[in-house]
Amino acid sequence: MRLSDPRQWMGCAALLLVGGVGLAAPSQDVTTLDRVQVTATRTPHDPNDVPAAISVIDTRARRHDGLGASVAEQLPGVPGVLARTRQNFAQDEQLSIRGFGTRAAFGIRGVRLYVDGIPATMPDGQGQLSHFPLLDAARIEVLRGPFSALYGNAAGGVLQLFTVDGVAPREIGAAMGVGSDGSGRIGGELRDARDDFDYVLGLNHFTTDGYRVHSRAERTLFNGKVNIAHADTQLTVVANALSAPDAQDPLGLDRAQFESDPRQAIDAALRFNTRKSVSQGQIGATLEHAIDERVQLRLLAYAGQRETTQFLAIPVATQANPLSGGGVVDLSAPYAGVDARWTWAATLAQRPFEVVVGIGFDRQQQDRHGYENFLGAQLGVRGALRLSQDDDVRAFDQYAQATWHPADDWSLMVGARHSDIRFHSRDRYITVDNPDDSGEVRYHATSPVLGIGWKPSPQWQWFAAWGRGFETPTFNELAYRSDGGSGPNFALRAARTRSTEAGVKFRRGEAASEFVLFRADTRDELTVATSSGGRTTFQNAGAARRQGAEWSARAPLGARVRGEFALTWLEATFRDDFLVCTGTPCAVASTPVAAGTRLPGVPRMTAYAALQWGAETGWYLRLDAQHVSAVPVNNVDDERAPAYTVVGTSAGYGYRGPHGEGRLFLAIDNLFDRAYAGSVIVNEGSRRYYEPAADRTFAAGVEWRWHAAR
């Protein structure tokens, strides 16, 4: 990386200063709390006792000064995780774990998402973060590595958000903030508990004019949770609803546009008024019953529906092709699922032994319509019908895992999950020039995992894990055939991955650190084959490898000073030669990609460091810095988004009194006004790969919680 700009030198100096302090004192990987029992491996355990790489973020204790519009704001200190806010609320933020998930142009692939145990990833492997209730979040768990495979399809990693419970005495919370580019949010929360009953109700509204031209957006999110406990039984009911109307989409920029004016939207975005509207509602219930002291039964059921309407910038001439699906997507997607889990705690050879056995069934339907995005000479409106189909994907999974402690300082975990996933598509738009494209495909996989941990002392744990996982193409990736013919590409195979990791964890009091080496070898890697005329087709590109190292630390550095650090080195490459398309238009892949070429969207190194002065009450100051190395933007690796280092700072005042607590804050992001690409659209057919990050921005806010009299 070249550092010709003094602001870059200052950013790196801040990063190295804080990182050096973190190296001098053992510290913690994000926030691994003493009394938190993580559920990432499906049974509650202290994270320092699990033979797997797990990070836990206590979102209430870890002060974050911002508008809370993005999950990515909470994740820079998690090693192996790359979360990027796109300055484009018409497209979900990007999230990848150890290089899995970076091929997604929208939504999230390769990473499983959950909110209070309810899947936010559909059976086909595509997930969304837009309905995550950050205002009500209590903690976020991130599971990296082989044990992710126990969650089934597309589990290159697992991210779970857990919301707070009700409290007594009753608590009422309010939050308000304003920021640059006309951004603002207002939210409220009610928490209460009575005997064996508690509940939480939260409502949050966010709006922004957008950093870029044509990027205005708003979101309103409701989240509610009720817990009812009686004797040995607990029932939890969670409901949430999202409304995000007419989020404008400025689309990506090519290199020249990005460098000349990062705030601009391309002409096609303005002419077609590209935008997306999303609404979603869902409800889920979890019933846990202790049959006796050793046996517990857990039942989960959920259902919801997501409505999406998106206006694209597909040229009118392109839609003259009788096989075109038009330029407006209208999608109604109901989904539902159930999961039953039985847990038995016993002994084996007079040592603690625990078994978990479960089955799950998930179903996702899609009533998909496509329309032309013009009426005569008028662009950006709904026109004639061009596509109508019913899609259905069903996943039936069976899983089992066992944990045994053959000695006080040893632990063994073994598990397996079998998945049977069926995709079915029924074509309802059939013409002379557009034949019936109905069809189906099924995928089967068995994913075993094995982990071993050794604790030579209460402060240290050494661990190693191995596992196999798989990832099917999503319905969007099956949608088109690369040969230009009509109908879904049911010839795509699922990607299969073997992964290993080995590491060491340290914790003493509030100080902890973690170091992990990992490697994942994939066959039939899924990647883009062609991208032209509004259609992106996918192919299996042979073998790929992701390998690297992660280190994280967090520690008190004095009575009122804390340091935090995370570092990831990741080498992600294709291992086989294959062909792709370059240029537009392109109907046949003819450009070679050589073995050893880096995977697009994956930086070789990311680093994060932060210092915070102050306690929960009184004045405080925070300084943080993040570095991301150059990012390949396409399969042939002929262009890269430049490396960058950005620095942010915030200050505020926290207060706690007999009737409530709160804080006010002022935050500055991108302190040195660095111009950089915050995210990239990998393999974009028109070479518009770049989504610019905002320049220097400001945010100010106030939060308060009232406590009812006892």
Side-chain angles (χ1 to χ4, degrees):
M1 178 183 66
R2 297 182 61 189
L3 298 175
S4 56
D5 190 329
R7 294 172 298 182
Q8 298 179 41
W9 280 107
M10 294 175 70
C12 282
L15 183 69
L16 293 173
L17 171 63
V18 180
V21 174
L23 281 166
S27 52
Q28 190 170 354
D29 65 345
V30 189
T31 307
T32 306
L33 304 177
D34 292 339
R35 291 177 294 278
V36 166
Q37 290 188 313
V38 298
T39 60
T41 51
R42 299 200 180 273
T43 54
H45 289 284
D46 185 292
N48 213 43
D49 295 334
V50 177
I54 301 174
S55 296
V56 183
I57 304 169
D58 183 343
T59 58
R60 294 270 160 149
R62 182 180 183 269
R63 183 181 285 130
H64 176 78
D65 294 333
L67 297 183
S70 168
V71 177
E73 296 173 357
Q74 296 284 350
L75 300 176
V78 181
V81 175
L82 183 63
R84 298 186 278 201
T85 302
R86 308 177 67 173
Q87 303 299 323
N88 180 357
F89 288 92
Q91 306 293 349
D92 215 354
E93 55 197 293
Q94 295 178 336
L95 175 69
S96 64
I97 297 180
R98 292 184 178 175
F100 289 96
T102 55
R103 76 175 187 275
F106 59 91
I108 292 175
R109 316 279 198 277
V111 177
R112 300 290 298 186
L113 308 172
Y114 293 84
V115 178
D116 284 324
I118 299 173
T121 298
M122 295 297 99
D124 69 343
Q126 180 168 314
Q128 305 286 342
L129 287 168
S130 54
H131 69 288
F132 272 44
L134 295 176
L135 183 66
D136 305 318
R139 73 181 190 275
I140 297 174
E141 295 181 8
V142 183
L143 172 65
R144 318 182 301 276
F147 272 92
S148 303
L150 287 177
Y151 286 83
N153 181 25
V158 180
L159 185 147
Q160 301 192 73
L161 181 144
F162 296 90
T163 60
V164 295
D165 295 322
V167 294
R170 183 174 60 250
E171 182 179 282
I172 300 174
M176 182 175 64
V178 295
S180 301
D181 304 313
S183 300
R185 71 127 171 173
I186 184 169
E189 181 184 73
L190 173 62
R191 302 172 65 190
D192 198 3
R194 306 287 178 86
D195 298 324
D196 295 335
F197 171 86
D198 73 78
Y199 67 91
V200 179
L201 301 175
L203 184 65
N204 191 47
H205 179 72
F206 170 79
T207 183
T208 181
D209 291 335
Y211 166 69
R212 298 177 58 193
V213 173
H214 195 71
S215 60
R216 187 178 64 250
E218 65 174 295
R219 287 180 175 177
T220 303
L221 177 63
F222 165 80
N223 189 74
K225 183 169 74 171
V226 175
N227 293 309
I228 303 173
H230 179 70
D232 297 323
T233 303
Q234 176 167 320
L235 174 66
T236 300
V237 180
V238 180
N240 55 59
L242 167 73
S243 175
D246 292 326
Q248 296 176 332
D249 187 351
L251 304 179
L253 303 178
D254 63 28
R255 188 60 171 264
Q257 293 167 334
F258 164 65
E259 292 178 346
S260 65
D261 180 11
R263 282 185 175 266
Q264 68 179 298
I266 68 169
D267 180 63
L270 303 177
R271 288 190 295 109
F272 285 95
N273 189 19
T274 49
R275 61 199 185 275
K276 183 168 77 171
S277 296
V278 175
S279 63
Q280 177 175 302
Q282 71 175 24
I283 187 169
T286 303
L287 179 68
E288 296 179 329
H289 175 65
I291 298 174
D292 57 35
E293 294 181 353
R294 294 187 173 187
V295 180
Q296 184 180 64
L297 180 66
R298 177 185 181 274
L299 302 175
L300 165 70
Y302 70 94
Q305 182 154 323
R306 190 176 182 93
E307 307 279 349
T308 304
T309 302
Q310 186 169 13
F311 287 77
L312 306 172
I314 307 300
V316 173
T318 299
Q319 297 172 68
N321 184 335
L323 303 181
S324 170
V328 179
V329 177
D330 190 342
L331 182 66
S332 176
Y335 55 89
V338 294
D339 184 274
R341 184 186 310 165
W342 176 80
T343 303
W344 175 52
T347 59
L348 177 64
Q350 299 182 336
R351 299 297 304 171
F353 181 66
E354 184 179 61
V355 176
V356 178
V357 177
I359 59 172
F361 177 79
D362 300 277
R363 183 180 183 185
Q364 170 193 1
Q365 297 171 281
Q366 292 186 158
D367 182 13
R368 181 187 294 269
H369 293 85
Y371 300 88
E372 293 174 343
N373 56 2
F374 62 93
L375 282 173
Q378 186 180 7
L379 304 180
V381 295
R382 183 177 306 209
L385 179 70
R386 296 299 301 273
L387 180 148
S388 178
Q389 67 187 53
D390 293 334
D391 297 330
D392 183 276
V393 57
R394 305 183 187 194
F396 179 53
D397 291 62
Q398 313 91 51
Y399 57 90
Q401 68 184 68
T403 304
W404 184 44
H405 296 273
D408 290 340
D409 53 351
W410 287 91
S411 61
L412 295 173
M413 294 188 71
V414 61
R417 185 181 185 107
H418 177 75
S419 301
D420 184 349
I421 303 175
R422 191 199 75 165
F423 291 79
H424 177 80
S425 180
R426 182 180 180 184
D427 192 351
R428 294 185 177 273
Y429 182 80
I430 303 170
T431 67
V432 174
D433 298 317
N434 191 332
D436 187 347
D437 299 318
S438 302
E440 69 175 24
V441 63
R442 298 183 71 172
Y443 299 97
H444 306 266
T446 299
S447 304
V449 296
L450 172 66
I452 183 171
W454 174 51
K455 295 189 69 172
S457 71
Q459 293 80 30
W460 292 90
Q461 187 204 37
W462 296 80
F463 68 94
W466 169 91
R468 291 206 304 253
F470 78 108
E471 181 178 2
T472 70
T474 66
F475 250 128
N476 287 315
E477 293 165 343
L478 289 168
Y480 302 115
R481 290 165 44 185
S482 57
D483 61 5
S486 63
N489 184 11
F490 288 132
L492 282 177
R493 299 181 297 276
R496 313 282 176 140
T497 299
R498 294 190 178 201
S499 59
T500 57
E501 68 179 6
V504 58
K505 306 176 186 180
F506 171 85
R507 184 177 63 189
R508 183 168 57 198
E510 296 183 12
S513 62
E514 180 184 70
F515 178 75
V516 185
L517 298 173
F518 63 89
R519 174 168 155 177
D521 289 307
T522 301
R523 59 183 173 92
D524 291 327
E525 177 78 18
L526 289 160
T527 192
V528 169
T530 66
S531 180
S532 177
R535 285 188 171 189
T536 300
T537 68
F538 288 79
Q539 64 177 321
N540 295 107
R545 174 172 293 169
R546 299 165 175 89
Q547 61 183 351
E550 301 162 345
W551 180 72
S552 59
R554 185 181 175 93
L557 306 177
R560 295 175 57 85
V561 182
R562 290 184 299 164
E564 183 180 337
F565 187 77
L567 178 66
T568 303
W569 175 79
L570 174 57
E571 188 73 23
T573 58
F574 295 108
R575 306 294 292 176
D576 289 332
D577 301 333
F578 64 99
L579 300 175
V580 297
C581 261
T582 54
T584 301
C586 177
V588 179
S590 59
T591 301
V593 176
T597 302
R598 290 174 57 188
L599 267 63
V602 183
R604 184 170 279 135
M605 187 180 74
T606 59
Y608 175 79
L611 272 180
Q612 182 165 309
W613 293 265
E616 294 183 6
T617 59
W619 292 101
Y620 67 88
L621 174 67
R622 182 178 177 88
L623 174 69
D624 61 71
Q626 183 178 30
H627 172 75
V628 177
S629 65
V631 178
V633 296
N634 56 27
N635 282 341
V636 296
D637 193 13
D638 64 354
E639 192 171 321
R640 296 182 180 180
Y644 63 86
T645 301
V646 290
V647 177
T649 187
S650 64
Y653 184 84
Y655 171 81
R656 179 175 295 164
H659 303 296
E661 60 186 82
R663 68 186 178 105
L664 53 84
F665 67 86
L666 173 67
I668 306 174
D669 287 331
N670 196 0
L671 182 63
F672 300 118
D673 205 20
R674 175 74 190 273
Y676 67 100
S679 60
V680 296
I681 308 171
V682 298
N683 292 308
E684 206 283 333
S686 300
R687 301 185 71 87
R688 296 195 300 265
Y689 307 117
Y690 302 95
E691 293 185 302
D695 51 21
R696 184 188 298 115
T697 59
F698 300 84
V702 59
E703 300 175 358
W704 187 260
R705 297 174 190 165
W706 290 270
H707 304 311
R710 293 184 181 273

